[in-house]
Amino acid sequence: MAAPRKTAASKTSLAAKQAEATHNEKTEDEAPKVATFEFKGETYEVPADPLDIPMDVAYADSEMDVIEIVVGPEQWEKFRDTRPTIRDFGKFSELVLKASGQGEDEGN
């Protein structure tokens, strides 16, 4: 019995699968998008998508720990260098959560 011949359709299907695999690899390798906001004259960057926030937030003991994890150690120090009040932390926290896609919707 003769081996089945590859048809144009099977070649196209293989090429499509390879292209999709390459696209998926590129998507996974791309750096997460970031959102920026300003607080007290300083610019901060956080992941724009809540799914890109470090998993460590699941183990945080307080809201302050969550915010520290989301902004990262260098930006947390920058925030702390402003000698913030509790009120300042509340405002900063709202900005972090909103920028990272976790804040409340404007319409609510």
Side-chain angles (χ1 to χ4, degrees), residues 5-80:
R5 288 180 22 169
K6 288 191 175 184
T7 63
S10 67
K11 288 180 183 176
T12 303
S13 176
L14 178 61
K17 288 179 184 176
Q18 289 172 337
E20 182 179 350
T22 301
H23 172 72
N24 288 342
E25 288 173 12
K26 286 182 182 175
T27 302
E28 291 172 9
D29 290 342
E30 291 176 7
K33 293 182 181 175
V34 296
T36 59
F37 65 93
E38 289 201 19
F39 182 78
K40 289 192 169 187
E42 295 286 344
T43 301
Y44 295 84
E45 254 182 28
V46 294
D49 186 331
L51 297 176
D52 293 326
I53 291 173
M55 182 64 185
D56 288 346
V57 298
Y59 306 107
D61 292 324
S62 67
E63 180 182 359
M64 191 172 293
D65 291 342
V66 169
I67 299 303
E68 181 177 359
I69 292 166
V70 172
V71 300
E74 292 173 9
Q75 293 186 114
W76 181 249
E77 284 303 314
K78 181 167 65 169
F79 169 70
R80 294 285 311 273

